[in-house]
Each structure stands twice: as C-alpha cells, then as structure tokens.
Amino acid sequence: MAGVIGLVLLGLAAPRVIAAALALPSRSVLWDLYSGVEVPVERIRAAEAALAAAGRWSASGELELDRGFLLLRAAVRTPVDGAAPLYEAAERATVDGLALAPGNPGAWLRLAWLRERRGDMAGAVAALRMSFLTGSFEPVIMVDRLTLALRLRPYMDAEMEALLRRQIRQTWVIRPGPVMELGAQPETAALVAGALAELTGLEMERHVRMHGQPQVRPGPN
C-alpha cells in the first residue's frame, strides 16, 4: 500500500519537477534583465519559449508573470511593425498569471501600462488600483507607478485620487526628490501639497529616520 501511495505522489510531483527543469535556463535571462543588463532579443524569446514549455507541464502564476515580463521586454526591443503581437501576448500572459497569483503589485503595474498603451484607460486604472492595493509600499516600483498614475489621473474616481495621494506620501518617505520635483510643477503642485498635508505621524517618522529633517515642508506654503 505504501508503495502505491509513493507512486501516486511521485506521479503528482513529476509535472512540477519537469516544469522546473524546463524553466531553469530562463532564470539567468530574467536575472540579467532585472539587473539592467542588455540581453539580445533572441535570448529573451528563447527564455520565454522555455517558460511556455514549462507552463504546459504545470500551471504556475509566477511562470506566466515571468513570461509576460519577457514578452514585454522583447516587444520593446522589436521594430514597431512586428511588436504588436508581442505586446498582446505580454498582456495575455500577465492577465493569466495574475489570475493564479494576484498578489504581485509589479505585475499589476505592468498590466496597467499595457492597457494604457492600447488606449484602455478604464482597464489601466483598474489594474493600477490593484497594484496600489496589493503593495502600496514597494520601493522598486513606486516612482514609475507614480508617473503612470499621474498620466491616468483624468480617469480616476475619488477612491483612486485618495490612493494616489497616499502613494505620493509614501514615495516622499523614501524618495523625496521626485516628489519635490512634482511639487514644483504647476500642473501637479496642488496635488502634491494636498497629499503632503495628509502625512501621518508614522510617515513623518519614517522619512526623518531615513533622511534626517524633512526634505520639504508638508502642506501649503
């Protein structure tokens, strides 16, 4: 009986083991891209194909999200006349990955950018909202997310405006420079001043702990 159970467990585990082996060659490509290393588009496409093969053995949200990232990077490196299918595939892979692994704020941000690119502003705002809600304090993506959020601001409702102001405050905590630059621009000065006027004691404490005295005086001057 124990032998039968062992065989069943082995059979259940085998697809995941095969998937992991097939996905392994893509890891160095992903690492290089996340590290800012220039990677030839052919190598990116080969890594994406490896992840697609792995996914056929074992469904994984993480694998699909990595595929979406690779497809996007390939699209950016591809001439305009051949990039459209790659952008579409990047969006599909990101949507599929998020359906299985919805707690990734960076992937939601990618989806928001892809939707904005094709003119789906309502969909972009919806994806941006999920990026805020799944991880509002994510230092690696916060400046890029704030930049996208400001472009999408005309399409936001009151809830999203509140989330945007919160993101401005949280970005100011760790990266005051970009927020100060926004505060000096006429089109965003009032928004930034209003957001900083809502700073909490905890946010101020974190900022001072990281930078010393506040880099900008909160609230209207």
Side-chain angles (χ1 to χ4, degrees):
M1 183 65 177
V4 172
I5 295 174
L7 288 173
V8 170
L9 293 175
L10 181 61
L12 292 173
R16 292 194 295 273
V17 173
I18 295 171
L22 289 171
L24 190 59
S26 69
R27 297 305 162 196
S28 61
V29 177
L30 288 164
W31 178 263
D32 285 347
L33 290 172
Y34 282 124
S35 300
V37 176
E38 284 290 327
V39 179
V41 68
E42 295 80 8
R43 190 172 171 225
I44 298 174
R45 294 299 304 274
E48 182 275 321
L51 292 182
R56 288 191 285 271
W57 280 93
S58 180
S60 164
E62 288 75 15
L63 286 180
E64 281 300 291
L65 292 179
D66 284 341
R67 276 192 66 234
F69 172 73
L70 291 172
L71 285 162
L72 175 56
R73 295 303 295 267
V76 170
R77 298 283 303 280
T78 299
V80 174
D81 58 351
L86 293 173
Y87 282 114
E88 293 169 4
E91 184 171 347
R92 286 196 302 272
T94 303
V95 169
D96 291 345
L98 286 168
L100 296 171
N104 189 317
W108 284 112
L109 176 60
R110 183 198 314 148
L111 181 58
W113 186 89
L114 286 163
R115 287 175 171 175
E116 181 207 26
R117 183 186 176 279
R118 64 176 174 80
D120 179 8
M121 299 307 180
V125 171
L128 180 64
R129 177 179 178 274
M130 289 301 299
S131 181
F132 284 148
L133 294 179
T134 55
S136 64
F137 201 87
E138 295 286 336
V140 173
I141 65 172
M142 286 169 74
V143 173
D144 289 340
R145 185 163 59 184
L146 184 55
T147 300
L148 175 59
L150 291 172
R151 294 202 302 268
L152 294 174
R153 190 185 177 199
Y155 308 96
M156 292 182 180
D157 59 15
E159 180 203 11
M160 277 298 294
E161 280 273 348
L163 291 173
L164 173 56
R165 291 195 303 274
R166 182 188 184 201
Q167 189 68 183
I168 290 171
R169 297 196 310 272
Q170 292 181 326
T171 304
W172 179 81
V173 167
I174 59 168
R175 294 279 303 277
V179 176
M180 292 170 67
E181 292 175 7
L182 290 173
Q185 298 174 16
E187 62 271 21
T188 51
L191 172 65
V192 171
L196 295 181
E198 298 171 351
L199 279 162
T200 67
L202 180 59
E203 289 166 344
M204 285 292 296
E205 180 183 326
R206 286 177 174 172
H207 177 89
V208 170
R209 191 162 58 241
M210 295 180 70
H211 306 286
Q213 292 302 308
Q215 303 296 299
V216 61
R217 184 159 64 92
N221 292 323

